[in-house]
Amino acid sequence: MLTDCLFLQNELYDVARLFKNRPETLSHSFRFENGIFYNTFIVDGRTYAYEDKAAFEGELEFKRKEKLFAKQRLYSILSEKYGETMPWGALTGIRPTKLAYRETEEGRDFRSLFSFMGVSEENAELTAQILKAQEGIYEKNENNADYFVSLPFCPSKCEYCSFITAPIDKTRAYLPDYIACLTREIRESAPLIGNLRSVYIGGGTPFAVDTNDLKRVLQAVEKLRRNDCEYTVEAGRPDVFTEEKLRLLKDYGVTRICINPQSFSDETLKKIGRKHTAGDVYRAFEMSEKYGFLINLDLIAGLADEGLEEFSYSLSEAIRLAPDNITVHCLCLKSGAKLKEETSYLDEPVVSEMVAHSRKVLPENGYRPYYMYRQKYQAGNNENVGWARPGTECVYNVDVMEEIADNVAAGANAVSKKVRFSNGKIERYAAPKDLKTYIEKTDAIIREKTEFYKK
């Protein structure tokens, strides 16, 4: 696809790739004159010209309007040409709720913009429900901060996974140095944190590391926790749960944990490279309940060869266990995932059927949607949604997905963020992805991250 506006190149490509069919030729030109956004497309020899007028203040808002008009117009062309509509219309960004908040804060009904962009009524309603569930949690304050700790180790690499995670058996030699560097970075981070809202230790599978290593991380975090903030450990796969590790979390004030079964089908678990069974999930859940944690269970719609029946069974089993939160992800395959080479899943309607089923069944059992995000290459062009019993929503998930607080992050592949509401910008500092490089550059990371937050 050719365009004379480099800023719009990737945005328009993202719209075009939503469709199964693609034009043989597609070009675009843009200009702005006298308050009017002009977009001209030539699709397979046919010309489409649009003029959109909109008020704006400043360059940032201009860019937003420029992007929205161009994407909507291309989407409308291709939707009519191929007779297809997408559940999120021309919206291809990760955070639809963030866009809804922006419209609301500027005194407009976000549903009008969503309708213009072709978003389905069901997804507009889902967005409204999420904004409602976030009342009392959502808070824009530049002094607020969340803290993330990266333990990027797993028992094995799943077939669908594209994260930078390290199979523990192949990387155990790095663990002593990694834990030493990580705990030092955590200690040095304390002065960078404002009003600490939450701590989240994620992976990978943090429970994949030995108890003593986990304890050292918890001890380091304990020195920077300055209030009784929410404290989550994404414990991970159920086959690495032990009473000793759960008791350790409780002793250090952890309030929430995540158990990640992904499916309750032993056949599916085997296909995706998991080393646990559904029986391990039941045991891990029963073991965890005794300690009074708020518990989240993760499921993935679209795994392996699962149909609606298999997914419905997993969802019903998750509901039967009655965790506080249930997160429903849709399969997303990126570079680095083995299944990406073997699977043609994006257009499978069954994944959308799974999503529709979860939206029906979870509210019937006392759960409501409270956060959402989307990804490229996501099955059925759907979304990931966190569901919670009212009063058990995860502050960290809300802050991170809505980007309304600094995120101070430590460890390999950890991305720190600084939010600025005055100009609407978010700055990022990313640590190296691989363990060896992180260990070698820890001193530089600590120095650069300190400068990043204090500049």
Side-chain angles (χ1 to χ4, degrees):
M1 189 192 76
L2 299 175
T3 178
D4 62 2
C5 181
L6 187 61
F7 169 70
L8 293 173
Q9 179 86 43
N10 291 335
E11 300 290 344
L12 294 175
Y13 174 75
D14 285 344
V15 172
R17 63 162 294 279
L18 294 173
F19 296 86
K20 289 180 290 187
N21 299 298
R22 311 281 170 81
E24 290 185 13
T25 59
L26 170 60
S27 64
H28 166 260
S29 63
F30 170 79
R31 76 180 195 278
F32 177 78
E33 293 179 2
N34 301 320
I36 297 177
F37 296 79
Y38 293 90
N39 285 285
T40 302
F41 296 89
I42 302 176
V43 182
D44 289 341
R46 181 177 173 182
T47 301
Y48 303 80
Y50 299 96
E51 300 177 11
D52 295 290
K53 189 171 185 177
F56 61 89
E57 293 184 8
E59 182 181 0
L60 183 61
E61 192 172 349
F62 170 79
K63 292 290 187 183
R64 288 170 178 166
K65 300 291 186 185
E66 178 185 3
K67 182 168 63 174
L68 286 173
F69 285 133
K71 291 172 69 173
Q72 192 280 334
R73 295 313 186 185
L74 178 58
Y75 173 80
S76 64
I77 293 168
L78 299 182
S79 180
E80 182 178 355
K81 180 178 176 66
Y82 298 119
E84 293 182 70
T85 58
M86 303 299 156
W88 289 99
L91 295 187
T92 60
I94 294 173
R95 299 173 173 86
T97 46
K98 188 175 179 181
L99 180 59
Y101 271 119
R102 185 186 304 147
E103 288 294 294
T104 301
E105 290 164 2
E106 293 176 2
R108 298 185 291 269
D109 181 357
F110 79 85
R111 290 177 184 268
S112 297
L113 177 60
F114 276 33
S115 177
F116 175 72
M117 297 299 287
V119 177
S120 70
E121 290 185 9
E122 292 82 2
N123 281 344
E125 177 59 25
L126 174 68
T127 303
Q129 291 175 12
I130 290 171
L131 266 59
K132 179 69 176 175
Q134 290 183 359
E135 291 179 0
I137 302 173
Y138 185 92
E139 179 180 289
K140 294 182 76 170
N141 181 339
E142 284 194 6
N143 192 47
N144 285 349
D146 302 283
Y147 198 87
F148 176 79
V149 179
S150 173
L151 283 174
F153 302 93
C154 276
S156 63
K157 191 174 180 72
C158 294
E159 301 284 304
Y160 61 82
C161 183
S162 60
F163 289 127
I164 307 299
T165 52
I168 193 73
D169 289 342
K170 296 181 179 179
T171 54
R172 198 175 296 277
Y174 288 108
L175 258 175
D177 288 340
Y178 182 79
I179 297 297
C181 291
L182 176 64
T183 53
R184 183 155 57 90
E185 186 185 1
I186 293 170
R187 289 193 299 271
E188 296 289 341
S189 297
L192 310 179
I193 302 169
N195 176 42
L196 186 60
R197 300 244 295 170
S198 70
V199 174
Y200 193 103
I201 300 178
T205 301
F207 267 18
V209 305
D210 295 336
T211 305
N212 287 337
D213 289 329
L214 183 61
K215 183 177 182 179
R216 290 178 64 191
V217 174
L218 296 172
Q219 287 174 332
V221 170
E222 186 65 21
K223 293 178 181 179
L224 61 79
R225 284 206 307 146
R226 296 191 287 259
N227 55 36
D228 294 328
C229 66
E230 174 185 279
Y231 193 174
T232 304
V233 174
E234 187 183 9
R237 299 194 201 179
D239 48 322
V240 290
F241 274 56
T242 66
E243 292 277 2
E244 186 180 27
K245 290 174 184 176
L246 290 166
R247 192 178 305 113
L248 183 68
L249 300 192
K250 191 67 178 178
D251 290 344
Y252 279 89
V254 172
T255 57
R256 309 175 63 97
I257 66 167
C258 304
I259 304 174
N260 302 333
Q262 317 303 26
S263 173
F264 281 78
S265 163
D266 288 346
E267 183 178 353
T268 298
L269 293 171
K270 184 176 180 180
K271 285 181 180 178
I272 64 174
R274 289 277 179 134
K275 294 183 176 181
H276 68 83
T277 64
D280 292 320
V281 180
Y282 303 127
R283 284 189 290 274
F285 191 89
E286 182 180 0
M287 202 184 301
S288 303
E289 270 192 312
K290 297 182 298 186
Y291 294 93
F293 300 115
L294 292 173
I295 300 175
N296 174 75
L297 287 181
D298 271 11
L299 298 176
I300 298 179
L303 282 176
D305 301 316
E306 284 198 342
L308 180 59
E309 182 178 353
E310 290 85 359
F311 175 78
S312 298
Y313 173 75
S314 291
L315 185 59
S316 66
E317 286 300 281
I319 291 171
R320 186 175 66 82
L321 289 175
D324 303 282
N325 299 175
I326 296 176
T327 305
V328 178
H329 300 272
C330 289
L331 184 67
C332 176
L333 298 181
K334 300 180 182 179
S335 299
K338 184 178 179 182
L339 279 183
K340 184 176 177 65
E341 304 170 2
E342 305 169 355
T343 308
S344 176
Y345 67 94
L346 277 173
D347 305 317
E348 286 295 326
V350 68
V351 178
S352 295
E353 293 172 9
M354 293 173 182
V355 169
H357 179 68
S358 68
R359 290 191 189 183
K360 176 180 181 295
V361 173
L362 285 164
E364 291 174 349
N365 287 274
Y367 296 91
R368 64 176 182 175
Y370 81 96
Y371 85 97
M372 165 180 59
Y373 67 102
R374 304 184 64 223
Q375 295 167 279
K376 292 182 181 180
Y377 312 110
Q378 191 153 25
N381 292 307
N382 288 293
E383 67 288 320
N384 307 311
V385 178
W387 297 79
R389 297 189 185 280
T392 69
E393 296 83 2
C394 178
V395 171
Y396 181 85
N397 285 335
V398 173
D399 282 2
V400 168
M401 293 307 162
E402 307 307 338
E403 296 186 309
I404 52 174
D406 286 354
N407 193 288
V408 184
N413 200 33
V415 179
S416 295
K417 295 182 182 180
K418 185 169 184 61
V419 300
R420 298 183 186 277
F421 300 124
S422 56
N423 58 16
K425 292 184 178 180
I426 297 174
E427 298 174 90
R428 293 169 172 81
Y429 176 82
K433 295 180 178 181
D434 68 283
L435 302 177
K436 186 173 183 291
T437 305
Y438 169 78
I439 291 167
E440 291 171 348
K441 294 188 174 182
T442 301
D443 289 338
I445 293 167
I446 292 171
R447 183 177 63 254
E448 291 168 2
K449 196 167 70 172
T450 299
E451 293 171 356
F452 170 77
Y453 277 103
K454 291 188 174 181
K455 67 182 179 182

